[in-house]
Amino acid sequence: MDYAMQMTVEDVSKRILSKQIDKQDAMRLFQSLDKESQLQLLAIVRRADGITPAHNGKGAARPLRALDQRDLTDEHRAWIAALVEKYDSFVPKSKANVLEHQVHFVDQRRAFHLIKDLKKLHFQITYTKADGAHVHDADGNRYIDISGDMGVNLFGHRAPFLIDAVKRSLDQGIPLVGYSDMIFQACKLFCEITGHERALFTQSGTEAVMFAVRIARAATGRKKIVLFDGSYHGLSDAVAATRDLAGNSFPLAPGILQEFADQIIVLDYGDMASLDTIERLAGEIATVLVEPVQSRHPYKKPVEFLKALRQLTIEKNIPLIFDEMITGFRVCHRGAQGLFGIQADMATYGKIPGGGLPTGVIAGAAKYMDLVDGGTWRFDDDSMPSSKRTGMAGTHSQNPLKIAAALAVLGEIKKRSAETGPDGTCACFQQGLNRKTTDLADALNAFFREERLPVVIDTFGSLFRFRFVDSYWGVTEALFFILLRMEGVETNIQGNCFLTTAHTDEDIEAVIAGVKASMSNLKRSGFFREPDQEPTQDTAQLPQTAALAPPQSSNASPRNEMERLRALLAADLALAEDQGA
Ligand code: PLP
């Protein structure tokens, strides 16, 4: 079946206007259309938003642009210097700690997103404690924490039910070799909540993905792994690849072998043409690994694509793995699979079910999970392991402390998810939290539009992200997170933000106020420019801020006709977004 051919102009325009895809994807689809269809598409996009061509490129409604290093003037630098002074007295101990301890203490985040002009503001905060929706730092500051502990935190810090369970387990000692009653209950409950047949615990999310891929390879005897552009699956060599502009896979970081990347096929996410590739290469593909809604791009929710992918992988007997590390238990008690009505063959989890202790989980159909332990057999007959087995172990995979935490979290999720609405519909607590997150995003997106700020908050469940439209980690974006911290709101430089059940309405109001104050400050201080204003320096002078930038293809010519069309479409899309399409 030619999936790409199924996309009509209407399909493409619908996807653009409903924001199922981002601009890059929109451009790719746009370019795949013939000239006539491209013109039709532009007309549809304009019509849908009441945009006439006269508005393109000019006009008061056009969003401003966030600054990057090219745009900095002496005034900006003086403003940054004054901010550094204030920040130094706001978090002096955190800064001193980083400086003093870097000799022995290694942490890759220290250099992540580092911008030379903001070097003096770039360091992690030292925390002293965390409670409910708040974290406290070594300088006595208290912040509303929207970092969500990288997606781990669903119930707030030090949730009493969790603390009690871990303390009880600690009192029993930490024996590692035999089983505990808790591990049996935890796996049973895990399967009950997620709808999978069997489950095992691993030491981390990375390990869960690594082992799930191994199971798939053992089951199929095939080598290649398909994953999608924009996803993240941890740092196992088996999945740590991305692709260049020509579509060739290459390792995510130095030290990872090209030979590993050669086994990985990176395809466009949400693009039906990717299904054609999977169909064509089916005989070589051990698994398709998918982050159903990518935490880095939560605006992409390609449900129809996922359904078609599920159908195709069933037809071709390719195990489909959903990586629900962030979406699992967060967006719904059955994760993205529950929300979208799609059951994967295996799914990988971590974060939330660890309750703050390190864990990962693989859950899936017995057909695949049996490759770990041989399946089930009896003691009173001739039965023996019925399945071949692959290698899998981990000293702390079943560590009782974290299993106690997992059991407590799963119990709490089950208890709260059992609540149903008056008409028998699911009224699990995640829905209320998701709604609060959407309300927060709606309030701030309205503010961004009013202020012409080129920022959008995207959400999926209680995950949300600030997306600076048309810019990737420029000076303005980096400064925003510093100012937000000084307003008493703590985020994660990686960008994922989360609400938890511990956030009160007052906390959320305070977050909204903090964001507005920080953005207004930046706007007042000239860190957004008019879209037509040229940067003050040449783009070529820009230092590389992305740690892992893909190599540039030699035929990427910026000034051709397509680029002008791209600019036109991008302007239309920005307006469409601006108007809440
Ligand atoms: N998969 C996804 C989707 C993730 O977001 C992450 C971590 O953020 C991982 C895998 C890796 O999990 P861990 O950091 O526990 O190894």
Side-chain angles (χ1 to χ4, degrees):
M1 191 191 301
D2 189 342
Y3 291 92
M5 290 306 288
Q6 294 178 320
M7 297 289 290
T8 63
V9 171
E10 283 72 29
D11 289 334
V12 176
S13 61
K14 228 183 273 162
R15 295 178 73 190
I16 290 172
L17 292 171
S18 65
K19 290 207 289 177
Q20 282 174 17
I21 53 176
D22 64 9
K23 283 183 199 163
Q24 234 181 337
D25 288 345
M27 265 325 291
R28 208 175 17 70
L29 285 176
F30 180 69
Q31 285 169 355
S32 71
L33 298 172
D34 59 32
K35 191 88 183 169
E36 198 184 327
S37 305
Q38 289 181 343
L39 293 174
Q40 275 175 23
L41 176 64
L42 284 174
I44 291 172
V45 172
R46 287 191 188 116
R47 211 171 39 241
D49 288 277
I51 303 163
T52 62
H55 287 99
N56 288 328
K58 300 266 185 282
R62 286 183 71 200
L64 302 168
R65 289 189 75 99
L67 301 201
D68 58 40
Q69 294 99 305
R70 297 173 294 170
D71 303 295
L72 291 183
T73 61
D74 288 347
E75 286 83 50
H76 291 124
R77 291 205 166 81
W79 188 93
I80 291 169
L83 179 67
V84 168
E85 224 172 275
K86 270 193 230 153
Y87 199 52
D88 279 355
S89 56
F90 180 64
V91 281
K93 285 195 188 140
S94 284
K95 191 166 190 175
N97 277 346
V98 171
L99 198 61
E100 181 185 343
H101 297 295
Q102 62 180 332
V103 181
H104 303 293
F105 171 63
V106 181
D107 178 23
Q108 58 92 23
R109 284 177 303 174
R110 291 179 52 238
F112 180 66
H113 272 348
L114 180 60
I115 294 175
K116 195 169 180 192
D117 290 290
L118 304 181
K119 192 180 75 165
K120 293 176 180 168
L121 298 163
H122 190 97
F123 50 89
Q124 291 288 125
I125 297 301
T126 307
Y127 295 154
T128 49
K129 63 175 182 175
D131 213 345
H134 298 95
V135 283
H136 301 247
D137 74 9
D139 292 293
N141 300 304
R142 185 178 98 133
Y143 308 91
I144 299 170
D145 183 10
I146 56 168
S147 78
D149 292 327
M150 295 174 258
V152 167
N153 193 337
L154 184 60
F155 296 109
H157 297 287
R158 299 187 71 242
F161 73 86
L162 201 46
I163 299 292
D164 290 348
V166 175
K167 276 186 179 162
R168 262 197 315 276
S169 171
L170 198 53
D171 282 343
Q172 309 297 316
I174 312 177
L176 293 180
V177 175
Y179 299 141
S180 65
D181 271 341
M182 292 184 302
I183 186 80
F184 303 138
Q185 291 174 43
C187 285
K188 189 166 176 221
L189 199 46
F190 205 100
C191 291
E192 194 187 312
I193 296 173
T194 60
H196 287 286
E197 287 175 337
R198 304 191 72 201
L200 69 82
F201 281 79
T202 63
Q203 301 171 120
S204 69
T206 291
E207 210 183 70
V209 172
M210 181 180 83
F211 283 147
V213 164
R214 186 178 297 171
I215 292 171
R217 281 190 168 130
T220 58
R222 303 177 202 138
K223 280 188 184 172
K224 301 275 187 203
I225 296 161
V226 169
L227 46 85
F228 295 97
D229 197 28
S231 63
Y232 175 68
H233 298 290
L235 279 176
S236 143
D237 287 6
V239 294
T242 183
R243 64 172 179 189
D244 62 19
L245 293 178
N248 302 310
S249 303
F250 68 95
L252 261 183
I256 301 171
L257 301 182
Q258 179 63 44
E259 284 84 343
F260 284 108
D262 289 343
Q263 303 306 332
I264 299 169
I265 302 166
V266 185
L267 299 178
D268 289 326
Y269 192 44
D271 184 350
M272 291 295 183
S274 298
L275 301 188
D276 292 330
T277 308
I278 294 170
E279 188 169 25
R280 188 162 43 81
L281 301 175
E284 298 172 52
I285 297 172
T287 183
V288 177
L289 173 62
V290 58
E291 192 185 357
V293 173
Q294 301 173 346
S295 71
R296 281 143 187 81
H297 310 102
Y299 50 89
K300 284 189 198 180
K301 302 174 180 86
V303 181
E304 291 315 311
F305 171 82
L306 285 169
K307 288 190 172 157
L309 175 66
R310 176 64 286 194
Q311 190 53 38
L312 176 65
T313 47
I314 288 171
E315 279 164 23
K316 297 293 169 191
N317 201 17
I318 301 171
L320 175 66
I321 303 174
F322 266 29
D323 186 348
E324 295 245 33
M325 212 62 64
I326 287 193
T327 51
F329 305 103
R330 181 167 290 281
V331 296
C332 164
H333 57 288
R334 290 179 77 161
Q337 291 167 96
L339 208 61
F340 298 160
I342 300 168
Q343 186 80 6
D345 296 303
M346 281 181 277
T348 52
Y349 303 83
K351 302 199 186 261
I352 289 175
L357 293 170
T359 203
V361 180
I362 311 173
K367 171 180 166 189
Y368 295 107
M369 302 306 290
D370 288 357
L371 271 90
V372 176
D373 61 3
T376 54
W377 66 91
R378 299 185 57 88
F379 292 117
D380 58 359
D381 62 16
D382 287 344
S383 58
M384 287 290 280
S386 53
S387 164
K388 65 179 168 185
R389 281 172 295 144
T390 176
M392 202 168 298
T395 303
H396 288 286
S397 293
Q398 298 177 12
N399 185 304
L401 268 193
K402 71 114 178 267
I403 299 300
L407 191 54
V409 169
L410 292 168
E412 187 73 13
I413 288 171
K414 185 181 172 189
K415 189 175 91 190
R416 296 204 193 193
S417 299
E419 293 157 13
T420 50
D423 54 355
T425 54
C426 172
C428 67
F429 70 96
Q430 285 94 334
Q431 294 188 27
L433 196 54
N434 298 350
R435 217 169 302 119
K436 283 186 181 191
T437 313
T438 315
D439 289 347
L440 174 144
D442 286 350
L444 284 171
N445 283 337
F447 168 77
F448 297 148
R449 277 198 296 276
E450 272 160 31
E451 295 293 319
R452 298 176 57 215
L453 298 174
V455 186
V456 179
I457 295 186
D458 302 308
T459 67
F460 184 49
S462 46
L463 158 74
F464 63 103
R465 262 185 97 94
F466 294 86
R467 176 160 52 98
F468 278 66
V469 182
D470 288 333
S471 103
Y472 176 71
W473 200 251
V475 168
T476 306
E477 186 171 358
L479 285 172
F480 165 64
F481 289 106
I482 298 290
L483 291 179
L484 192 57
R485 176 174 285 149
M486 294 175 82
E487 292 289 336
V489 180
E490 178 67 350
T491 57
N492 179 1
I493 194 168
Q494 179 270 348
N496 286 344
C497 303
F498 301 89
L499 287 186
T500 71
T501 58
H503 287 95
T504 62
D505 291 345
E506 290 71 39
D507 291 327
I508 295 171
E509 282 307 317
V511 170
I512 292 173
V515 171
K516 286 184 178 176
S518 308
M519 288 289 185
S520 299
N521 187 351
L522 286 168
K523 188 178 176 193
R524 232 180 10 254
S525 310
F527 282 89
F528 293 99
R529 65 174 164 84
E530 287 299 330
D532 299 326
Q533 206 178 318
E534 286 297 319
T536 53
Q537 295 165 44
D538 190 356
T539 321
Q541 303 303 315
L542 260 185
Q544 183 63 262
T545 54
L548 305 162
Q552 296 300 305
S553 126
S554 54
N555 60 6
S557 73
R559 297 251 178 268
N560 55 21
E561 194 193 353
M562 190 50 83
E563 198 59 25
R564 281 201 297 280
L565 274 173
R566 180 191 158 89
L568 179 63
L569 184 61
D572 276 350
L573 294 178
L575 274 172
E577 268 178 5
D578 196 40
Q579 297 179 3

